[in-house]
Amino acid sequence: MIHGEIHQNVRQYINGRWETSATTGVSANPSDTSEVVAEYARADRRQVESAIRAAADAFSHWSHSTPQRRADVLDRIGTELLARKDELGLLLAREVGKTLPEAVAEAARAGQVFKFFAGEALRGGGENMASVRAGVQVDVTREPVGVAGLITPWNSPLAVPATKIAPALAHGNCVVFKPAELVPACGWTLAEIISRAALPAGVFNLVMGSGREAGQALVDSPLVDAVSFTGSARNGERILQAVAARRAKVQLEMGGKNALVVLADADIDHAVDCAVQGAYFSNGQRCTASSRLIVEAAVHDAFVARLRERLKALKIGHALERGVDIGPLVDEERLARSLAWVGIAREEGAEHVWGGEPLQRATAGHYMSPALFLARPGHRIAREEIFGPLACVLRAADYDEALALCNDTPSGLSAGICTNSLKHAMHFRRHAEVGMTMVNLPTAGVDFHVPFGGRKGSGYGPREQGRHAAEFYTTVKTGYMLA
Ligand code: NAD
């Protein structure tokens, strides 16, 4: 396998300048661990604080920039992302291990998000209404919040940052962006494109470093007015406490234990497709992955048999190899954790159906066969987020039990149902306790222009994406005037 280019100049972007740091780190290709993807600077607390100060200083100017100016900047970024989607997808596939088609699609999505928010910068507006008092006029306007600290995970290293950076800038905020440690090349490349989009110095800043130091500095700073975090529930909970304690705005997008319900009247082949895509593509390393497959008793055995055949036929290998369905897990630690879940499933008495083995390929990478178990509702594999290629099937007597099982979780991100019954589809859309429902579609795979997010333990604060992003990235002002 030919190694790709090493990104060596991966530095912080603070107040319009590229800065090195005292310490450095590397990211490696999970499909071939002998390949270094990036050598990058790791920001310390002092550097993050200087990025925050730069953003705070730039705010008075940027918050009063014209909508046209903001739209032009975002449009330019979106245009470049779309034009370079193949190259960026290749980088993403090398750094995270998503297959090339998935990675290119993510790069394109990041571009579409910037294009959408270029439009939002122009569409933003307020309300004008009659006062209840004679001779008084009232209007409701939206203003930017201030400095937005944006903290993102490794699993969608272009799309998730785009979903935060684009609305923050569109609505007139200044940004300090901290990507996850595993994906510095993706974070830096996005920042490099943004750095050439004619933004005033300090409006957008990149700090790469650990969550404990660089991330925590954003959470703690009194100059950061809004923190948007996507990541694990454990870190989200800590961030919520810290940010709420100093009364700044906070938005959390966290994990899920998403269910796909399969009813007896469903097209079973299509349901199996939905399960394979939702549970196993990207190795289940998606917050919307369907790690619970809840199947009505009448079709349970047929569904499991067909799913097993599909899993046997999947091609697991190097993310850049043509025809590969699933690449490697992102790193050694996540592979070890997923294999440990296979051990837990066996120990708690779940019935093994297929997979769950480490795999050897021509290059040294973090490969594993997709694992399927039959479980009971109390099993840990049916209750906790795994974030790996392991799903379990739960048997339900009928639709009512399937819905009850679906909702029997502290999470509430995405839920799907495969059925040909309009009655059950409509009921499910109304009664699934989640932020997003899918009928005859996988639980993962969403549009970029409509709200994204969850309820219960999966999310906190206003939704991301679409027009709803304004709820987080603006603050409302009510103005009265004697006419
Ligand atoms: P993580 O919580 O380990 O890290 C996420 C980010 O938070 C990283 O940038 C990390 O450096 C930073 N961080 C860690 N500790 C911090 C602290 N104390 N203060 C500030 N920042 C800190 O999550 P991960 O392993 O990168 O991502 C996987 C998780 O993300 C899964 O649980 C998945 O479900 C979730 N996720 C959710 C969504 C969603 O939109 N709901 C999307 C993608 C991923």
Side-chain angles (χ1 to χ4, degrees):
M1 180 62 59
I2 298 166
H3 285 195
E5 176 200 357
I6 301 181
H7 287 252
Q8 281 173 320
N9 228 359
V10 175
R11 292 174 289 168
Q12 323 300 342
Y13 186 63
I14 298 173
N15 204 15
R17 285 187 298 273
W18 295 100
E19 277 190 20
T20 54
S21 302
T23 60
T24 56
V26 293
S27 68
N29 183 342
S31 297
D32 178 356
T33 52
S34 69
E35 185 192 349
V36 171
V37 177
E39 293 169 1
Y40 70 101
R42 304 182 84 237
D44 57 21
R45 189 169 263 271
R46 185 196 56 78
Q47 274 187 309
V48 179
E49 284 166 358
S50 94
I52 295 168
R53 272 195 306 279
D57 290 346
F59 182 65
S60 58
H61 177 61
W62 181 246
S63 58
H64 290 104
S65 57
T66 63
Q68 185 66 59
R69 173 97 199 270
R70 284 179 261 137
D72 288 346
V73 164
L74 294 169
D75 191 61
R76 183 167 163 178
I77 297 166
T79 299
E80 181 163 346
L81 286 165
L82 286 168
R84 292 175 56 191
K85 67 180 172 27
D86 293 334
E87 172 210 335
L88 296 173
L90 179 61
L91 175 66
L92 197 160
R94 284 173 61 218
E95 201 165 47
V96 181
K98 281 191 187 182
T99 63
L100 195 55
E102 284 172 327
V104 170
E106 180 177 333
R109 181 189 178 89
Q112 287 162 326
V113 168
F114 275 95
K115 291 273 186 188
F116 175 85
F117 281 105
E120 279 300 278
L122 297 172
R123 279 188 293 267
E127 292 171 81
N128 200 312
M129 44 241 286
S131 169
V132 292
R133 289 172 281 166
V136 174
Q137 283 183 351
V138 193
D139 61 23
V140 182
T141 51
R142 288 187 177 272
E143 295 183 357
V145 179
V147 175
L150 308 180
I151 302 172
T152 56
W154 50 267
N155 68 325
S156 295
L158 293 176
V160 171
T163 299
K164 298 183 191 298
I165 296 167
L169 296 176
H171 292 296
N173 302 281
C174 294
V175 167
V176 182
F177 162 46
K178 195 208 89 63
E181 297 94 303
L182 286 170
V183 287
C186 287
W188 177 84
T189 304
L190 180 58
E192 200 277 328
I193 292 170
I194 297 172
S195 77
R196 288 184 284 98
L199 280 167
V203 171
F204 171 83
N205 304 271
L206 166 75
V207 288
M208 291 166 294
S210 72
R212 215 173 309 134
E213 187 167 5
Q216 194 64 44
L218 276 175
V219 168
D220 293 341
S221 172
L223 294 179
V224 174
D225 304 285
V227 173
S228 179
F229 165 88
T230 298
S232 59
R234 194 167 50 100
N235 289 330
E237 187 58 40
R238 285 199 208 125
I239 289 169
L240 172 62
Q241 302 297 336
V243 180
R246 61 179 181 78
R247 297 181 178 225
K249 283 187 102 168
V250 57
Q251 175 185 55
L252 308 174
E253 291 297 345
M254 300 176 290
K257 191 67 192 171
N258 313 292
L260 177 72
V261 169
V262 179
L263 295 186
D265 64 16
D267 173 335
I268 296 298
D269 284 330
H270 182 69
V272 168
D273 274 350
C274 290
V276 170
Q277 284 187 43
Y280 297 105
F281 278 17
S282 298
N283 270 311
Q285 299 175 132
R286 296 194 282 193
C287 52
T288 46
S290 18
S291 57
R292 294 185 298 150
L293 307 170
I294 301 172
V295 185
E296 201 172 353
V299 289
H300 176 276
D301 294 356
F303 175 85
V304 171
R306 279 194 224 180
L307 180 53
R308 182 172 185 274
E309 290 313 304
R310 281 293 307 278
L311 296 183
K312 278 165 84 170
L314 287 175
K315 194 169 166 201
I316 319 298
H318 196 296
L320 301 185
E321 208 177 301
R322 197 182 287 273
V324 157
D325 296 301
I326 301 174
L329 281 95
V330 71
D331 69 353
E332 199 174 343
E333 189 189 325
R334 269 67 174 192
L335 172 63
R337 259 192 240 163
S338 292
L339 292 171
W341 273 110
V342 174
I344 291 168
R346 290 183 191 275
E347 274 164 32
E348 62 187 356
E351 188 182 323
H352 178 250
V353 177
W354 175 255
E357 307 288 336
L359 298 175
Q360 305 296 321
R361 291 292 178 261
T363 50
H366 312 297
Y367 302 107
M368 170 179 169
S369 56
L372 181 66
F373 284 87
L374 307 185
R376 288 192 299 277
H379 286 155
R380 283 181 65 195
I381 57 165
R383 305 209 70 79
E384 296 174 36
E385 187 183 41
I386 292 173
F387 221 61
L390 188 155
C392 64
V393 177
L394 298 167
R395 185 190 291 264
D398 53 21
Y399 168 74
D400 290 338
E401 193 190 2
L403 178 65
L405 285 170
C406 173
N407 287 337
D408 177 24
T409 166
S411 310
L413 187 56
S414 173
I417 188 166
C418 290
T419 181
N420 280 319
S421 154
L422 184 60
K423 179 179 140 194
H424 286 139
M426 295 302 288
H427 189 272
F428 186 82
R429 284 165 64 116
R430 173 69 186 85
H431 294 277
E433 295 164 0
V434 291
M436 297 174 291
T437 60
M438 311 284 178
V439 175
N440 293 322
L441 287 168
T443 56
V446 295
D447 287 1
F448 63 85
H449 67 306
V450 288
F452 177 94
R455 49 168 100 164
K456 292 160 76 175
S458 294
Y460 182 87
R463 292 283 188 272
E464 299 200 276
Q465 291 195 164
R467 300 225 72 183
H468 286 69
E471 296 298 325
F472 183 69
Y473 290 104
T474 63
T475 184
V476 162
K477 184 179 273 176
T478 312
Y480 296 93
M481 189 161 69
L482 188 61

